[in-house]
Amino acid sequence: MADKHARFPSLPKAETPTAKALLAWGKIQKSGNICPCPTAPCGKGNRNLLSCFFILPDNHPMHHIRNTHKKLRLLLLLLLVLPQAWAQAKAPADLQKLDAYYQQALQDWDVPGMAIAIVHNDSVIFARGYGVLNNKTGGKVDANTLFGIASNSKAYTAAALATLVDAGKIGWKDKVQQYVPYLQLYSPFVTENLTIEDLLCHRVGYQTFSGDLLWYNTTYSREEIIRRMRYLEPTYGFRDGYGYSNLMFITAGEVIENVTGETWEGYIKETFLQPLGMNRTYTSVNDLKGVHNVASPHGFDEKGKPYATTLTAWDSWNPAAGIFTSVTQQAQWMRLQLHHGTYEGKRIFSEEASRNMWTVHNPFPVSKQAAAENPSTHFTGAGLGWFLSDYEGRRLVYHGGGHEGMNSRTVLVPEENLGIVILTNSMSSIMAPLASYTVDQFLGITNGRDWSRFKLDAEKAEKASAARAPKEEKHRRQKPAMDLAAYAGTYSSPLYGDATVALKDGKLQFQLVPAPTLSGTLHPWRHDIFSLDWKNDYALLHPTNVRFLVGEDGGIAGMRLDSDNPDFHFSELKFVKVK
């Protein structure tokens, strides 16, 4: 049987890639009369473009196709190839425009200093610092300035566990008590069924930041913190809600140490920092001694203005929030993440582990406010060491960080091969709107919302509303109900440990024993309530009152600390007077 292609020897056979491409294109267009045949086409009712091109009868009126088939073939292939090539080669966002936007935002938000880096298609295309290291002593922030990234460290802890899963040393579904036998929580059932995954997605049952006073400026080891967690009370059922938990990540760090025999700090350095060339990334405040180009943290004074404060070392919390790095260094971490565990050809953790960390393990509803701000967001939830949501048809993988006087944010857009890190020496919320604006620019949403102005105006409106709210009646300071000596003594909390109140030079001195730097003077306010003047002006400390409790015998039986503090639950410290 004669080869039907013999009459057109220069045309590709239907089995070739070119022919297949033309065939696919022709089938896509079947609904329209694009066949070059003027008759029905080919007189055979055949609307397949390739058939029309390749098996025309000898007397067909369209034989001139033989003179133009090469041009048509090239045109059709270009139509197939060019859109994809254009998408790959399209220019990124206008970096000069972004730079100007960042500079303006720094002024608008009154932030002392910040640094921003952008990774796109596995390249660091932008890295720059803005403002000053310290608003008292100056010093210029640059792309190599070190900041505390706080809870952005959680992704490192999750990835460290992923490497142990890859090595077959642990499993994601393994029970934590298998590796941390001294773990005991509020319920035997929860204690026995808590898994490695549970540690990393905030679903254990505690309220957000529950128990964080156990690590804040205390001398407690991670093991001691874990042993004391048995006294924390849940606010929702196990795996039945969301409560952000630093303590679970501290426990995750203990898993790493007990499995590997190395400290969390040592394992992070060996597994990530060294292979990624992150030689100016540190896992403890104590490592910063003698290191240059380190930003100072800043709190807010009574007028809302930033003031410089000092860094303190809380090594027990390092697996939850202990890393210090720069945007140029964190950019390497983003490259590893965007390549699903591979860095410059070297596999650090598996793609399967990457998918698991980027899977929603604890979903929670999109709030009404979030839905109004981002109508394209349909889901949100906690992965393992990350948060996840969707935006304009893309998945977002992100996390924030709040150190004392330093806020930060890391955002990944995997489909765009895009990563953004924003580090600041401020407790403002500037990071989120700047990240949102940057994502918009890379998605081509050039006429979208001015996120910085939008969020800043919302904050100002909220503060104005709070200022208009009815104020509590101010009471004149009154003499305490008892002699000052009656309040002196030692008080004990099963969760926290001891606190002392001592009468010295006619004043009551307060001290949280596990935290040597958390002390102050008690000033009588009314009846058995005293205002606490903290000795150290830490940025995370808020105005606090100490309320003494009277027992059945008429004497002082206990005390409570009352503070409108969003970061610490002083109400969890239920002190009983023991002597």
Side-chain angles (χ1 to χ4, degrees):
M1 184 175 179
D3 185 351
K4 66 181 179 181
H5 295 280
R7 286 169 290 142
F8 308 107
S10 62
L11 289 175
K13 295 188 177 183
E15 289 79 10
T16 66
T18 302
K20 290 180 180 179
L22 287 168
L23 179 62
W25 188 84
K27 287 181 178 180
I28 292 172
Q29 301 295 336
K30 285 173 88 174
S31 60
N33 190 12
I34 52 84
C35 177
C37 306
T39 60
C42 308
K44 300 178 182 179
N46 187 350
R47 299 183 64 85
N48 185 304
L49 180 62
L50 201 59
S51 296
C52 293
F53 278 3
F54 292 173
I55 57 173
L56 299 175
D58 291 338
N59 61 351
H60 197 282
M62 292 301 293
H63 259 303
H64 65 276
I65 193 68
R66 285 180 294 181
N67 299 322
T68 60
H69 75 270
K70 289 184 179 180
K71 295 180 180 179
L72 287 171
R73 186 176 66 195
L74 177 61
L75 175 62
L76 293 173
L77 287 174
L78 289 174
L79 288 173
L80 288 169
V81 173
L82 279 179
Q84 182 179 0
W86 176 84
Q88 293 176 348
K90 64 181 180 180
D94 186 337
L95 298 181
Q96 290 186 341
K97 178 181 177 182
L98 283 173
D99 182 40
Y101 191 83
Y102 300 152
Q103 293 185 57
Q104 185 61 53
L106 187 81
Q107 297 177 23
D108 293 343
W109 286 80
D110 195 15
V111 169
M114 69 179 182
I116 300 175
I118 302 171
V119 169
H120 191 228
N121 291 333
D122 201 34
S123 295
V124 183
I125 64 170
F126 185 93
R128 184 174 174 185
Y130 303 85
V132 296
L133 300 173
N134 185 301
N135 68 352
K136 288 183 179 179
T137 60
K140 187 176 181 180
V141 172
D142 59 34
N144 296 310
T145 297
L146 299 179
F147 296 83
I149 67 171
S151 288
N152 287 288
S153 306
K154 288 180 170 65
Y156 288 78
T157 296
L161 290 168
T163 64
L164 298 180
V165 173
D166 289 340
K169 295 181 178 180
I170 65 171
W172 291 115
K173 306 294 184 184
D174 285 355
K175 303 299 190 292
V176 176
Q177 208 173 31
Q178 177 180 344
Y179 307 105
V180 187
Y182 40 87
L183 172 73
Q184 185 176 334
L185 302 182
Y186 55 88
S187 158
F189 175 82
V190 176
T191 301
E192 294 167 6
N193 288 277
L194 187 74
T195 67
I196 301 295
E197 285 181 338
D198 291 326
L199 295 177
L200 307 177
C201 59
H202 311 292
R203 64 186 185 190
V204 175
Y206 296 131
Q207 64 179 324
T208 291
F209 302 146
S210 183
D212 276 1
L213 283 167
L214 288 173
W215 56 258
Y216 182 64
N217 284 298
T218 70
T219 58
Y220 287 143
S221 66
R222 288 168 200 154
E223 179 177 338
E224 181 63 24
I225 289 172
I226 292 169
R227 289 183 181 277
R228 288 182 174 275
M229 289 194 304
R230 71 188 67 186
Y231 299 109
L232 284 173
E233 299 176 359
T235 56
Y236 62 89
F238 181 46
R239 298 178 186 157
D240 192 32
Y242 168 79
Y244 190 90
S245 179
N246 287 308
L247 297 190
M248 292 300 105
F249 277 84
I250 291 174
T251 307
E254 200 76 347
V255 171
I256 294 169
E257 295 196 0
N258 292 345
V259 170
T260 66
E262 300 182 52
T263 64
W264 174 88
E265 292 81 357
Y267 193 77
I268 294 298
K269 291 175 185 176
E270 174 187 314
T271 308
F272 302 122
L273 305 188
Q274 293 173 0
L276 273 58
M278 298 173 66
N279 57 357
R280 262 181 59 81
T281 297
Y282 302 90
T283 55
S284 169
V285 171
N286 289 323
D287 295 340
L288 298 177
K289 295 175 182 177
V291 176
H292 69 282
N293 198 8
V294 180
S296 297
H298 293 75
F300 291 122
D301 62 19
E302 294 180 353
K303 296 181 179 180
K305 295 295 183 180
Y307 69 92
T309 184
T310 57
L311 288 170
T312 53
W314 315 317
D315 278 0
S316 60
W317 88 323
N318 287 345
I323 292 176
F324 279 74
T325 191
S326 67
V327 294
T328 54
Q329 300 265 289
Q330 184 73 354
Q332 307 314 308
W333 175 250
M334 294 193 297
R335 290 177 61 200
L336 171 69
Q337 290 288 334
L338 289 168
H339 272 268
H340 306 286
T342 298
Y343 180 81
E344 295 187 350
K346 180 179 180 181
R347 174 64 66 182
I348 306 294
F349 53 82
S350 68
E351 187 171 347
E352 181 182 357
S354 175
R355 285 195 299 270
N356 195 36
M357 289 185 284
W358 288 3
T359 294
V360 173
H361 292 264
N362 186 15
F364 32 89
V366 178
S367 68
K368 183 177 180 180
Q369 178 182 350
E373 291 182 3
N374 295 308
S376 67
T377 296
H378 305 94
F379 78 88
T380 185
L384 304 182
W386 293 97
F387 290 102
L388 302 130
S389 66
D390 64 323
Y391 177 70
E392 296 293 336
R394 281 82 163 180
R395 176 172 53 173
L396 298 183
V397 183
Y398 57 95
H399 210 292
H403 204 285
E404 188 160 49
M406 292 184 175
N407 285 351
S408 54
R409 193 168 185 84
T410 302
V411 178
L412 306 176
V413 190
E415 289 91 341
E416 300 294 324
N417 294 312
L418 175 66
I420 304 155
V421 57
I422 302 170
L423 308 180
T424 82
N425 58 359
S426 165
M427 294 180 70
S428 78
S429 302
I430 189 175
M431 319 82 57
L434 291 192
S436 296
Y437 184 83
T438 305
V439 170
D440 279 358
Q441 299 310 298
F442 277 87
L443 296 186
I445 309 174
T446 55
N447 60 343
R449 176 175 283 154
D450 181 344
W451 284 104
S452 176
R453 176 52 54 189
F454 175 77
K455 287 293 188 180
L456 191 58
D457 288 347
E459 281 199 9
K460 290 180 177 178
E462 184 177 347
K463 290 178 181 178
S465 176
R468 292 192 299 268
K471 301 293 188 300
E472 290 187 9
E473 181 182 354
K474 289 187 177 181
H475 298 275
R476 290 187 307 167
R477 289 190 177 273
Q478 302 174 356
K479 290 183 178 181
M482 304 182 189
D483 291 336
L484 292 182
Y487 302 100
T490 299
Y491 299 77
S492 186
S493 160
L495 170 68
Y496 189 77
D498 289 349
T500 61
V501 177
L503 182 59
K504 295 181 180 179
D505 300 326
K507 294 183 178 180
L508 291 176
Q509 301 298 323
F510 176 87
Q511 175 70 63
L512 291 174
V513 175
T517 62
L518 295 185
S519 61
T521 303
L522 296 178
H523 300 284
W525 183 48
R526 49 188 311 228
H527 302 304
D528 296 313
I529 302 175
F530 292 71
S531 61
L532 173 56
D533 181 15
W534 293 105
K535 180 179 179 180
N536 291 300
D537 197 15
Y538 293 134
L540 289 179
L541 292 180
H542 288 232
T544 305
N545 289 333
V546 175
R547 175 167 44 93
F548 290 93
L549 307 178
V550 178
E552 293 181 357
D553 62 356
I556 299 299
M559 70 176 178
R560 300 289 185 269
L561 274 66
D562 302 322
S563 179
D564 186 16
N565 190 315
D567 298 295
F568 299 112
H569 299 294
F570 283 94
S571 59
E572 293 178 334
L573 312 186
K574 298 175 180 179
F575 289 105
V576 174
K577 191 174 185 181
V578 293
K579 63 178 180 180

